[in-house]
C-alpha cells in the first residue's frame, strides 16, 4: 500500500536535499527527532535508491510553494515598485493569470533592438526543390539574454521577482522569440518531461520549471495568440501584457498544454521567463 507524503514534508525533504544534506543524514536526524512515519520512510527510501529526481518529483505530491502574485482580496492592480501591473484575467485550473501594463513600450523596443542582432536562424530543412521546410514544432527565431545582462533586463527581472514572489535567482535568462507570418509554436509543455533520458541532467541546474511568463513585446496584425487547447483559452498578444501560468508537478494533469498560434499577418515578438524550483546558476 502506498501512503501519502504531505506536500509540506515533500517540500522540506527536497529543500534539505537541495541544501546538500544526504539522505542517510536526513534519515538519522529525523529518527533522532522522533519521526517513525511510514510515508517518510517510503519517500526517503525512494530518494536513497537513486530515483532520478524527476521520477521522485512526479511520484510525490505537488509542491506547496509556488510562484505567483498575491491575489488576496482580488486586486485589479499590483504595485511592483516602478509600475502598477494590471490583473486582467485569472483561471484556477490550469493556473493562468493575464497581466496588463507589465512593460512599457520603450522596454519592449529596447529588448527587441538588443535581441534582433543576435537572433539564431530558425531550424529549416532544405527540400529537393531548393525551398525551405520550417521546423514543424517551432518556426520562430530566438535568443537568450543572460540574467541581468543589461539595464532593461535587470529592471524587468526585479519587477517580475516582486510580482511573482519568486527569487530572481530562480529564473532562467529571458528568451526572446520572433515570429514572422506563418510562424507558430505547436502545443507543448514547458516542464521537462520526466520520461526523457536527458531530464535528470537538465534538472541538476535549478530543478524543474514550475512556471512560465510569456510577455508580448510586439503584436502582430492578426493571429499569434497563446493558446491553451485543454481549456479552449486564447490569450491575445497585446504589447506590454503577458500571460503567466504555473505547473506544480511535471504532468499533463496541470492542463498547461499551450502553444503559439500561427501569425497570420505582421510580426510577433515575445519574451519568455521560465521559473525553476531552485536557484538557476
Ligand atoms: O509565443 C508564444 O505565444 C508562446 C507559446 C508557447 C511561447 C512559448 N510557448 C514559450 O516560450 O514557451
Ligand atoms: Zn511554451
Amino acid at each position: 500500500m502506498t501512503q501519502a507524503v504531505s506536500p509540506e514534508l515533500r517540500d522540506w525533504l527536497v529543500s534539505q536535499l537541495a541544501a546538500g544534506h544526504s539522505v542517510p543524514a536526513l534519515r538519522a536526524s529525523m529518527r533522532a527527532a522522533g519521526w517513525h512515519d511510514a510515508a517518510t520512510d517510503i519517500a526517503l527510501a525512494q530518494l536513497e535508491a537513486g530515483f532520478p529526481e524527476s521520477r521522485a518529483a512526479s511520484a510525490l505530491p505537488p509542491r506547496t510553494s509556488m510562484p505567483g502574485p498575491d491575489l488576496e482580496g482580488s486586486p485589479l492592480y499590483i504595485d511592483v515598485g516602478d509600475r502598477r501591473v494590471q490583473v486582467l484575467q485569472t483561471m484556477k485550473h490550469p493556473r493562468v493569470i493575464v497581466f496588463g501594463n507589465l512593460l512599457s513600450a520603450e522596454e519592449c523596443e529596447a529588448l527587441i533592438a538588443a535581441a534582433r542582432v543576435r537572433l539564431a536562424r530558425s531550424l529549416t530543412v532544405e527540400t529537393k526543390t531548393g525551398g525551405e521546410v520550417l521546423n514543424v514544432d517551432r518556426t520562430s527565431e530566438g535568443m537568450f539574454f543572460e540574467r541581468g545582462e543589461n539595464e532593461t533586463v535587470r529592471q524587468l527581472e526585479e519587477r517580475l521577482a516582486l510580482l511573482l514572489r519568486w527569487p530572481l535567482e530562480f529564473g532562467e535568462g529571458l528568451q526572446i522569440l520572433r515570429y514572422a507570418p506563418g510562424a507558430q509554436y505547436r502545443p507543448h509543455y514547458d516542464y521537462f518531461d520526466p520520461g526523457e533520458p536527458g531530464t535528470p541532467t537538465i534538472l541538476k541546474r535549478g530543478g524543474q520549471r514550475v512556471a512560465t511568463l510569456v510577455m508580448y513585446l510586439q503584436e502582430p496584425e492578426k493571429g499569434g495568440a497563446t493558446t491553451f487547447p485543454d481549456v479552449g483559452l486564447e490569450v491575445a498578444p497585446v504589447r506590454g501584457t503577458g500571460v503567466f501560468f504555473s505547473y506544480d508537478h511535471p504532468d499533463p494533469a496541470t492542463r498547461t498544454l499551450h502553444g503559439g498560434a500561427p501569425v497570420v499577418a505582421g510580426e510577433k515578438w515575445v519574451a519568455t521567463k521560465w521559473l525553476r524550483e531552485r536557484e538557476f546558476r
Side-chain angles (χ1 to χ4, degrees):
M1 195 184 78
T2 0
Q3 252 187 291
V5 181
S6 79
E8 292 77 16
L9 177 57
R10 183 256 186 210
D11 275 0
W12 185 81
L13 288 172
V14 169
S15 70
Q16 294 301 299
L17 290 169
H21 301 289
S22 72
V23 173
L26 266 181
R27 187 195 301 283
S29 58
M30 290 181 77
R31 288 213 174 266
W35 279 82
H36 293 287
D37 178 39
T40 312
D41 282 344
I42 290 166
L44 284 169
Q46 285 180 354
L47 295 165
E48 195 171 35
F51 265 43
E53 184 173 2
S54 54
R55 180 123 175 248
S58 62
L60 292 169
R63 4 180 342 101
T64 47
S65 172
M66 288 289 290
D70 182 3
L71 296 182
E72 189 66 36
S74 306
L76 275 73
Y77 297 92
I78 297 177
D79 199 325
V80 286
D82 59 347
R83 59 202 295 120
R84 286 172 86 213
V85 172
Q86 290 174 292
V87 180
L88 297 176
Q89 304 266 345
T90 69
M91 186 182 260
K92 286 225 159 76
H93 190 51
R95 185 39 149 170
V96 176
I97 303 167
V98 181
F99 292 115
N101 196 37
L102 254 186
L103 306 100
S104 68
E106 293 70 31
E107 288 173 320
C108 293
E109 287 306 322
L111 290 174
I112 290 173
R116 189 186 292 278
V117 289
R118 285 160 56 182
L119 285 183
R121 301 301 305 174
S122 54
L123 295 174
T124 57
V125 178
E126 221 64 52
T127 64
K128 289 193 191 89
T129 60
E132 284 184 331
V133 173
L134 293 165
N135 176 306
V136 289
D137 287 326
R138 184 166 153 177
T139 48
S140 55
E141 300 168 278
M143 58 77 71
F144 277 90
F145 284 113
E146 292 285 316
R147 230 173 29 216
E149 174 174 330
N150 63 43
E151 193 48 34
T152 311
V153 167
R154 213 169 9 252
Q155 267 188 28
L156 179 59
E157 287 173 339
E158 274 173 24
R159 185 179 308 153
L160 299 182
L162 278 176
L163 177 68
L164 303 174
R165 299 184 297 173
W166 206 246
L168 190 153
E169 295 77 18
F170 289 21
E172 296 181 30
L174 269 185
Q175 177 200 235
I176 307 291
L177 292 178
R178 169 188 172 268
Y179 299 77
Q184 64 178 307
Y185 199 164
R186 290 198 193 273
H188 58 276
Y189 298 97
D190 280 354
Y191 56 74
F192 303 107
D193 183 346
E196 287 293 321
T199 294
T201 307
I202 295 171
L203 297 186
K204 281 182 191 161
R205 190 179 173 205
Q208 260 294 357
R209 286 178 176 164
V210 290
T212 305
L213 175 65
V214 178
M215 293 163 279
Y216 306 109
L217 306 180
Q218 180 178 304
E219 51 193 63
E221 283 154 40
K222 286 182 184 169
T226 302
T227 62
F228 293 81
D230 288 350
V231 289
L233 175 65
E234 294 199 359
V235 179
V238 176
R239 183 162 81 169
T241 72
V243 58
F244 168 83
F245 52 99
S246 61
Y247 21 98
D248 57 10
H249 58 308
D251 192 282
T254 55
R255 300 203 209 167
T256 54
L257 183 68
H258 66 287
V263 167
V264 176
E267 246 182 43
K268 172 190 170 193
W269 287 75
V270 303
T272 303
K273 180 61 121 178
W274 285 293
L275 303 181
R276 298 293 192 96
E277 54 187 340
R278 292 191 285 282
E279 182 174 358
F280 183 79
R281 289 174 207 273

